[in-house]
Structure formats: structure tokens, C-alpha cells
Amino acid sequence: MSAAAGMRFAHVVVEGPIGVGKTTLARSLAAHWGARLVLEQPAENPYLARFYEHMGTPQGRGRGNPLALQTQLSFLFQRVEQMKELGQGGMFDHGVVSDFLFAKDAIFAMLTLGDEDLALYRQIYKRHSAQAPQPDLVIWLQAEPDVLMARIRRRGIEMERHITEDYLGSLCRGYVRYFANHRGAPVLAINTEVFHPSENPADFQRLLERIDRFEGPFELFDPPDPPGRGADGQIGDTVAGGLIEL
């Protein structure tokens, strides 16, 4: 793979749970490197809003959401089409930055699908997963569930108002489990509790320098809180937000 000038890795993926800031950071990195930007499109999923609505009802919690299978398959097929585009010749000539791993949908599916639906989903997923191009670097953004909840409320997307902190906690743990067994692209995990590369130019520059120094295969970047700068929340001593080094 080739890449844009100054872009060390030709295919960079920014990942992490809802509200962690992956899309904003992906945009910033792509703009800085002059790379192609590939984003997931939640607004194009016709089931997502109703999936979130059911999350606030007793039958919609956990693995009982009646819109879970439709929602997951819609995202899966969306990603399949995006991966087909990336598989075309010359797509990486100027580098690619995206805000999702192809495998991320399986993380969500394991949290929301019942056993029968999950078995069906896995059959469909396996038909397409091998065709997905592997990134050269994954940037895994981390934050505690209460911090994610505060950020989600602050950005004020209507359909996200039904998201619960319990769901975010389960999602964070799902990411921890996934990356604990990850054997693919190298991973740079970043604690974003007090470090905001999407919003703070100095933090963004520190991130670029950290990427240039990355040696892999897994590294944790946990910057200390600079004097006089507050945090969105406190770093816990559990894996609830995934703030651990694997």
C-alpha cells in the first residue's frame, strides 16, 4: 500500500465506543494527511432510531431488542459495500482513514442479538469478513461510560437520547474483550478522558508525534492531566471503560 506524504500508515482506522470521538478524529487525521475518508453512515440505517427507542423499554434491553437483527444486518451490508470500494485498485494511493473496523459490527451483535439471531448473523458475517482489507494501524479511543454518556448528551443527537450508561458499559467491555484477542493490525490505545486530539490542537499534534513513534504491536497512550485542565470524568480502576493495557 502507498500513502499520502507524511502518512506513515496507509490505512488507519479510528475505533471505540459510541461518543468517544472517533468520527471527529478520523476527519481531522484525514484532513491533515490529505487521505481518503471513509465513515460509517448511521443515519442511513433505517432501523437504528427504533433500535435505540426500544432500548428504553424492558423488552429492548440487553439481548431482547426486537430491532437488533435488522439493525446489525443493515450496518453489516453497509460495511460490505464500503469494503468493496476499498478493494478497488488505487484506493490507497493517497492513504485511507476510517472510523470503523469491519469487525466492529460483530462486537455490537454479541451484545444485542439472541442466540438464534446471533447464529444467523455469524453465518452472514463469515461470508464477507475475509474480503475486508486489514488496516495498518488501529487507534482505539477509550473513555469511561459516564464520560461517554456526558459527551453523547452534549452533542444532542435525537435518536441517541435513549442510550443508557449500562449499554455503554457493556459496549466498552465488548471492545476490551475484542482487543484482548485481537491478532490483526497493530493497535494504539488512547485514554481520551483528559486528552482531546479532536478538539485541542496541541493534543492533536501530540497524537501525530505518538503515531510517528509507534512500534507496536499494542501500545497504550495515557497522557497525564496537564495542570489547570479539567477532565470529563475520572479514570476508574476497573475495565468498565476499557482503560487498561492488554
Side-chain angles (χ1 to χ4, degrees):
M1 289 184 183
S2 56
M7 187 176 180
R8 181 181 170 195
F9 300 94
H11 184 187
V12 175
V13 166
V14 184
E15 257 297 355
I18 301 167
V20 79
K22 55 187 174 292
T23 301
T24 304
L25 180 57
R27 290 183 185 277
S28 297
L29 289 171
H32 176 78
W33 286 322
R36 177 183 174 87
L37 180 65
V38 180
L39 302 177
E40 63 179 352
Q41 304 294 332
E44 294 183 9
N45 189 322
Y47 306 102
L48 185 59
R50 285 180 290 162
F51 170 80
Y52 284 147
E53 288 176 9
H54 280 283
M55 192 178 290
T57 67
Q59 67 269 25
R61 299 188 185 117
R63 300 173 70 194
N65 195 308
L67 273 298
L69 181 60
Q70 297 95 315
T71 302
Q72 296 307 141
L73 289 178
S74 181
F75 271 128
L76 177 60
F77 294 141
Q78 179 186 117
R79 296 189 220 290
V80 167
E81 292 304 312
Q82 289 174 306
M83 292 301 102
K84 286 181 180 178
E85 291 184 19
L86 289 181
Q88 297 175 9
M91 295 302 292
F92 292 92
D93 287 352
H94 299 286
V96 170
V97 179
S98 66
D99 66 347
F100 65 90
L101 276 170
F102 187 83
K104 79 169 297 177
D105 203 50
I107 300 174
F108 285 74
M110 291 181 68
L111 296 177
T112 61
L113 298 180
D115 291 341
E116 291 185 2
D117 287 348
L118 184 59
L120 173 61
Y121 171 86
R122 281 174 168 162
Q123 290 179 20
I124 300 172
Y125 174 84
K126 287 179 180 179
R127 293 176 188 172
H128 301 284
S129 59
Q131 304 170 24
Q134 289 296 312
D136 300 303
L137 175 67
V138 177
I139 300 174
W140 172 24
L141 303 183
Q142 306 177 4
E144 292 283 356
D146 61 324
V147 175
L148 298 173
M149 195 79 248
R151 293 176 183 174
I152 289 170
R153 287 172 178 159
R154 188 161 61 240
R155 70 188 184 186
I157 297 176
E158 173 62 21
M159 67 178 173
E160 293 182 342
R161 64 187 177 90
H162 299 286
I163 293 175
T164 66
E165 193 169 318
D166 286 344
Y167 176 69
L168 293 173
S170 297
L171 188 55
C172 288
R173 290 188 291 273
Y175 272 97
V176 171
R177 286 191 297 270
Y178 173 76
F179 282 113
N181 298 291
H182 179 69
R183 298 296 179 269
V187 177
L188 174 60
I190 301 176
N191 173 12
T192 68
E193 301 264 331
V194 297
F195 182 70
H196 308 291
S198 304
E199 304 169 2
N200 186 295
D203 285 351
F204 184 71
Q205 183 59 40
R206 289 176 70 193
L207 173 61
L208 293 175
E209 294 169 357
R210 189 65 183 78
I211 292 172
D212 285 340
R213 297 197 308 272
F214 180 82
E215 296 180 356
F218 183 99
E219 296 180 12
L220 174 66
F221 185 36
D222 189 4
D225 185 9
R229 226 172 94 188
D232 288 315
Q234 299 301 313
I235 300 175
D237 57 359
T238 71
V239 299
L243 303 178
I244 60 172
E245 184 169 6
L246 301 177

